[in-house]
Amino acid sequence: MPEVTVLETATASGFDEKLAAARTASLVLATANTDQKNRALEAIAVAIESGAAEVVPANDLDLANGRENGLSVALQDRLRLDAARLASLASAVREIIALVDPVGESVRGRSLPNGVRIDQVRVPFGVVGAIYEARPNVTVDIAALAIKSGNAVVLRGGSAAENTNRVLVGLIQGALESAGLPAASVQTIDEFGRDGAKRLMQARGAVDVLIPRGSAQLIETVVTESKVPVIETGAGVVHVFLDASANEQWAVDIVHNAKVQRPSVCNALETLLVHEDAAERLLGPVLRRLTESGVVIHADEATRALFPDAVAATEEDWQTEYMSLDLAVRIVRDVDEAMEHIRRYSTHHTESIITNDLGNAERFLNEVDSAVVMVNASTRFTDGGEFGFGAEVGISTQKLHARGPMGLPELTSTKWLVRGSGQFRS
Amino acid sequence: MPEVTVLETATASGFDEKLAAARTASLVLATANTDQKNRALEAIAVAIESGAAEVVPANDLDLANGRENGLSVALQDRLRLDAARLASLASAVREIIALVDPVGESVRGRSLPNGVRIDQVRVPFGVVGAIYEARPNVTVDIAALAIKSGNAVVLRGGSAAENTNRVLVGLIQGALESAGLPAASVQTIDEFGRDGAKRLMQARGAVDVLIPRGSAQLIETVVTESKVPVIETGAGVVHVFLDASANEQWAVDIVHNAKVQRPSVCNALETLLVHEDAAERLLGPVLRRLTESGVVIHADEATRALFPDAVAATEEDWQTEYMSLDLAVRIVRDVDEAMEHIRRYSTHHTESIITNDLGNAERFLNEVDSAVVMVNASTRFTDGGEFGFGAEVGISTQKLHARGPMGLPELTSTKWLVRGSGQFRS
């Protein structure tokens, strides 16, 4: 069966043919055992780490085009692949080999009174679509996660990485074939350009779930235009609230860590709320530590009265995911006003309260409607790796299917297996 | 807090105001404990069972309008509410009181090596939207399920039941207020007509999840037009495959039960596939038992050669969810051809194989991609009540979030609670 599939699918070139080939491949992948999938992943790791001679020239071409098209230096850096980065991509693939295969896991089961046995087990989605921007590492990452969870994947990367992605997908397909799995398990539709992304979003039935990765704008477009169900990995306008009773050292350490350690990620702090009774005690040490690390403070008037170096904040600051060394700061009356601010401006990713008040801690945990709600911990802990999931599939900010850090099981669906012996319903 | 909310929301009349009132109500409901919610449900049960004097005249008006507009007799029957039906609706509400409250249930949790404790717990979605057709029982049913799971709900019933629904929602709101919960926990937007349904589908952010209930066409419209995430409770083109080794008595009983017991529901059988080696042995007894119960057989040529009373099947028959005493029948070469037929025509709801061959049973269970896959059991078992979930929230045919029969937990999301003592990420 795999051989036939490879022959059928390796030549798929039209858009619909590619989706049909993905479906055929998904049927093989769904019943492939863990050993087979791991062998394919090892072959992919080997192909990637020894593929510099093919990847680097294609990547150079993309980089040259990028410079010509005015791609920012930061994005050029994200786009760049060299032998060292390929080695690190290969080792990321090997980390996925080490993860537990979620397919076949029993979720729950019981015997009904009439003797019928029902079992809910994890199964692959089938065909996963991914829409993302000029980051070729995502190509390898999503492909490996999809294979391990038994899903075929159709990739639409950014046009800025088109040449790099084509070569990477070619290496991955060769590795899949060498391991006896269909090449069409991983395909790119970059050659169809923007039209391809649009058609992918319309392909309800042919694609089981769509995962957008990238800017807030990209995710918003996919979420609103897609007829295929979407897993939204979202932006983080993340808040920390320093309550009246907050421990000073914890406040200084957590706020600094949440803002400064890695400002460009979605779990980094964007808005600091401070209880008015703690403002004089805490704002000095907390903000000084931040400004020493180069953070620019955008603050309300009450904060600026205590910390005149701050820039005046505007309405836009409360809505902004800076992803940079900028922080919005506001003094609030109490935990209620803090939670009201959060309800209004949060993207429901992660919020943390620093407090020694048990009642306020429990209210914050219960009443703040975000994927992850914390007491006395850094928002940077919202992460699949930190949560012990092994792989970073993304952080869901929607309420359906998965919420918060996602592991491999979140890339599966379930089905019910029912075993009877002639029972019918009376 | 509840009192203020009631005052604020009881007067909401504009569309956006109603959604805002639902959000405010959802914040109260999310932290209401089980006793409070059960008291409100008991008050609703009492209001419904003693509300005939208000409900019946409104229902008579809808029925008169329905007759004028040519509503079918079957739909008129679905629309009709009398004292006996109101009593049975009230008792359905009391069954929901008896169910376990899913909110707050721990899904999983652990302590990280650094001492941070993480717990994933069930929380309400927030605001649920429901779009359905002229069945006023759904109004009461969805309202009660939403309240028990801590969700506010915005209802768009069919215009054919508009007067009935308005009175029912009034009774429910009065009961909610008497129990100290916000009236706006349950609202109808029927007064906005079709435009209301459209706006509900656009209300991403204001509505957390949308549940369509009704015809395949209604569900298709919601699924393709909605920007709000949808839980699709879908149509069932349900298959039974009689394998070569099928036990005759099981085949006769299961096929008859699956087709005849309640033909109008989604888990009823629509297409029977028969292994060619079993056709002569089984078709006679299986089809005779069906025709004795008034079933019309739509069959392929091979079947008609053995059973000449059958109507000739067309391509359309394989795609049809009859929901009536009609059955499509086809003879296939083997389990592979049976599964190929299912892949092509199934709506991925429920399929069952009747067999004594272990290998074919396991292949069928593993390779058929449906919400529920059975061996030697009637497809009528695909049901929340039969599965032991207590309430019938619907049967999901999508792969995201919930698949197959849904219970109250499927009307919730989760969030992660993180408790630290000053930890930050190094």
Side-chain angles (χ1 to χ4, degrees):
Chain A
M1 183 107 169
E3 291 74 6
V4 175
T5 310
V6 169
L7 287 175
E8 274 174 10
T9 61
T11 55
S13 58
F15 185 86
D16 292 336
E17 286 79 2
K18 284 203 162 186
L19 293 195
R23 177 64 63 197
T24 306
S26 79
L27 302 175
V28 179
L29 273 174
T31 52
N33 63 36
T34 309
D35 285 345
Q36 283 178 285
K37 294 186 287 190
N38 284 345
R39 274 197 299 275
L41 290 172
E42 177 57 33
I44 290 170
V46 169
I48 298 290
E49 70 192 348
S50 58
E54 291 172 67
V55 176
V56 172
N59 189 245
D60 283 342
L61 187 57
D62 283 331
L63 283 166
N65 290 338
R67 277 187 300 270
E68 214 163 278
N69 299 328
L71 200 68
S72 75
V73 173
L75 288 180
Q76 285 180 45
D77 181 58
R78 281 187 171 188
L79 175 54
R80 182 170 293 112
L81 283 185
D82 53 25
R85 287 192 175 179
L86 287 171
S88 111
L89 273 180
S91 91
V93 172
R94 292 200 173 95
E95 281 172 27
I96 291 169
I97 295 175
L99 295 179
V100 173
D101 185 346
V103 175
E105 187 202 335
S106 287
V107 179
R108 50 183 167 162
R110 58 190 294 244
S111 293
L112 303 184
N114 59 10
V116 169
R117 169 86 204 167
I118 64 172
D119 288 285
Q120 188 181 32
V121 298
R122 290 203 180 282
V123 295
F125 281 123
V127 177
V128 172
I131 299 184
Y132 53 102
E133 282 160 346
R135 297 182 66 169
N137 61 315
V138 174
T139 303
V140 178
D141 193 35
I142 295 252
L145 292 166
I147 292 165
K148 182 75 184 218
S149 54
N151 292 295
V153 64
V154 178
L155 304 164
R156 159 64 186 154
S159 54
E162 193 174 336
N163 293 295
T164 311
N165 285 339
R166 189 175 51 246
V167 172
L168 288 172
V169 169
L171 292 172
I172 291 168
Q173 291 185 329
L176 283 163
E177 285 187 286
S178 78
L181 287 177
S185 304
V186 177
Q187 296 176 97
T188 169
I189 53 158
D190 278 353
E191 69 267 33
F192 302 100
R194 290 197 175 186
D195 187 49
K198 284 197 175 144
R199 291 173 74 180
L200 199 60
M201 292 190 269
Q202 300 294 319
R204 195 176 173 90
V207 177
D208 295 297
V209 59
L210 206 51
I211 303 177
R213 275 231 199 151
S215 68
Q217 201 203 325
L218 172 91
I219 291 167
E220 177 67 18
T221 302
V222 173
V223 153
T224 54
E225 290 188 11
S226 179
K227 298 199 193 320
V228 175
V230 173
I231 297 181
E232 185 180 351
T233 55
V237 176
V238 166
H239 298 77
V240 168
F241 169 52
L242 303 180
D243 198 10
S245 61
N247 174 300
E248 179 181 323
Q249 193 58 49
W250 294 3
V252 170
D253 288 342
I254 289 173
V255 170
H256 186 265
N257 182 251
K259 179 72 252 181
V260 174
Q261 197 207 15
R262 208 173 158 202
S264 65
V265 291
C266 61
N267 60 19
L269 173 63
E270 304 295 5
T271 298
L272 178 68
L273 302 169
V274 186
H275 193 294
E276 59 182 10
D277 294 347
E280 265 185 80
R281 178 172 65 91
L282 296 177
L283 272 179
V286 167
L287 298 189
R288 262 199 309 278
R289 175 85 186 277
L290 290 170
T291 51
E292 281 165 19
S293 296
V295 175
V296 176
I297 308 296
H298 306 249
D300 68 341
E301 272 189 44
T303 302
R304 293 177 76 212
L306 294 167
F307 195 83
D309 289 353
V311 179
T314 65
E315 173 67 18
E316 209 191 326
D317 283 291
W318 314 122
Q319 303 167 10
T320 300
E321 187 185 22
Y322 296 114
M323 309 202 95
S324 60
L325 287 174
D326 292 86
L327 179 71
V329 181
R330 188 182 162 196
I331 292 175
V332 293
R333 214 164 38 243
D334 52 17
V335 66
D336 284 295
E337 199 179 36
M339 293 196 295
E340 196 186 304
H341 180 103
I342 289 169
R343 260 200 295 284
R344 184 149 171 206
Y345 297 108
S346 170
T347 54
H348 311 290
H349 185 295
T350 301
E351 333 293 339
S352 184
I353 182 175
I354 316 300
T355 189
N356 192 35
D357 183 304
L358 181 62
N360 286 352
E362 290 302 312
R363 280 198 61 199
F364 197 85
L365 287 172
N366 289 325
E367 296 178 30
V368 171
D369 183 27
S370 295
V372 185
V373 190
M374 302 180 165
V375 175
N376 295 330
S378 169
T379 58
R380 291 277 295 119
F381 285 120
T382 297
D383 176 90
E386 292 292 319
F387 274 29
F389 300 165
E392 177 66 342
V393 178
I395 294 166
S396 165
T397 52
Q398 71 183 26
K399 292 182 177 176
L400 218 59
H401 184 71
R403 198 174 187 206
M406 293 187 288
L408 274 179
E410 277 69 37
L411 285 184
T412 64
S413 181
T414 57
K415 76 178 176 192
W416 287 94
L417 305 180
V418 175
R419 292 175 169 94
S421 47
Q423 285 90 344
F424 52 88
R425 194 165 157 186
S426 51
Chain B
M1 183 102 168
E3 291 76 8
V4 176
T5 310
V6 169
L7 288 176
E8 274 175 9
T9 59
T11 55
S13 58
F15 185 86
D16 291 337
E17 286 80 1
K18 283 202 163 187
L19 293 195
R23 177 64 62 197
T24 306
S26 79
L27 302 175
V28 179
L29 274 174
T31 53
N33 63 36
T34 309
D35 284 346
Q36 284 177 285
K37 293 187 287 190
N38 284 345
R39 273 197 300 274
L41 291 173
E42 177 56 32
I44 289 170
V46 169
I48 298 290
E49 68 193 348
S50 58
E54 291 172 69
V55 176
V56 172
N59 189 244
D60 283 343
L61 187 57
D62 283 331
L63 283 165
N65 291 338
R67 276 187 300 269
E68 216 163 278
N69 298 328
L71 200 69
S72 74
V73 173
L75 288 180
Q76 285 181 44
D77 182 58
R78 282 187 169 187
L79 175 54
R80 182 170 293 112
L81 283 185
D82 52 25
R85 287 193 176 178
L86 288 171
S88 110
L89 274 179
S91 91
V93 172
R94 291 201 174 93
E95 280 171 28
I96 291 168
I97 295 176
L99 295 179
V100 173
D101 185 344
V103 175
E105 187 202 336
S106 287
V107 179
R108 51 183 167 163
R110 59 188 296 243
S111 292
L112 303 184
N114 59 11
V116 169
R117 169 84 205 167
I118 64 173
D119 288 286
Q120 188 181 31
V121 299
R122 290 203 180 282
V123 295
F125 279 123
V127 177
V128 172
I131 298 183
Y132 52 102
E133 283 160 345
R135 299 183 66 169
N137 61 314
V138 174
T139 304
V140 177
D141 192 36
I142 295 252
L145 292 167
I147 291 165
K148 182 75 182 217
S149 54
N151 292 294
V153 64
V154 178
L155 304 164
R156 158 65 186 155
S159 54
E162 192 174 339
N163 294 295
T164 312
N165 285 339
R166 188 174 52 245
V167 172
L168 288 173
V169 169
L171 291 173
I172 291 168
Q173 290 185 329
L176 284 162
E177 285 186 286
S178 77
L181 286 178
S185 303
V186 177
Q187 295 177 96
T188 169
I189 53 159
D190 278 351
E191 68 269 33
F192 302 100
R194 291 198 174 186
D195 186 50
K198 283 198 174 145
R199 290 172 75 178
L200 200 59
M201 291 191 270
Q202 300 294 319
R204 194 175 174 91
V207 177
D208 294 298
V209 59
L210 206 52
I211 303 178
R213 276 230 198 152
S215 69
Q217 201 201 325
L218 171 90
I219 291 166
E220 177 67 17
T221 302
V222 173
V223 152
T224 53
E225 289 188 12
S226 178
K227 297 198 192 320
V228 175
V230 173
I231 296 180
E232 185 180 352
T233 55
V237 176
V238 166
H239 297 77
V240 167
F241 169 53
L242 303 180
D243 198 9
S245 61
N247 174 299
E248 180 181 324
Q249 194 58 50
W250 294 3
V252 170
D253 288 342
I254 289 174
V255 170
H256 185 266
N257 183 250
K259 179 71 254 182
V260 173
Q261 196 207 17
R262 209 173 157 202
S264 65
V265 291
C266 62
N267 60 20
L269 172 63
E270 304 296 5
T271 298
L272 178 68
L273 303 170
V274 185
H275 193 294
E276 59 182 10
D277 295 346
E280 265 185 78
R281 179 171 66 90
L282 296 177
L283 272 179
V286 167
L287 298 189
R288 262 198 308 278
R289 175 86 185 278
L290 291 170
T291 50
E292 281 164 19
S293 296
V295 175
V296 176
I297 307 297
H298 306 250
D300 69 342
E301 271 189 47
T303 302
R304 292 178 77 212
L306 294 167
F307 194 83
D309 289 353
V311 179
T314 64
E315 172 67 17
E316 209 191 329
D317 283 291
W318 316 122
Q319 303 167 10
T320 300
E321 187 185 21
Y322 296 114
M323 311 201 94
S324 60
L325 287 175
D326 293 86
L327 179 70
V329 181
R330 187 183 161 196
I331 291 174
V332 294
R333 213 167 37 244
D334 52 18
V335 66
D336 283 296
E337 199 179 35
M339 292 196 295
E340 195 187 306
H341 180 101
I342 289 168
R343 259 199 297 283
R344 184 149 171 206
Y345 296 108
S346 170
T347 54
H348 311 291
H349 186 293
T350 300
E351 333 293 340
S352 184
I353 182 174
I354 316 300
T355 189
N356 192 34
D357 183 305
L358 181 63
N360 286 353
E362 290 302 313
R363 280 198 60 198
F364 197 84
L365 287 172
N366 289 326
E367 296 178 31
V368 172
D369 182 28
S370 295
V372 185
V373 190
M374 301 180 166
V375 175
N376 295 330
S378 169
T379 57
R380 292 276 294 119
F381 285 119
T382 298
D383 176 271
E386 292 292 318
F387 274 29
F389 298 165
E392 178 64 344
V393 178
I395 294 166
S396 164
T397 51
Q398 70 184 24
K399 293 182 176 177
L400 218 57
H401 184 69
R403 197 174 187 205
M406 294 188 287
L408 274 179
E410 277 70 37
L411 285 183
T412 64
S413 180
T414 57
K415 76 179 177 191
W416 287 93
L417 305 180
V418 175
R419 292 175 169 94
S421 47
Q423 287 89 342
F424 52 88
R425 194 164 158 186
S426 52

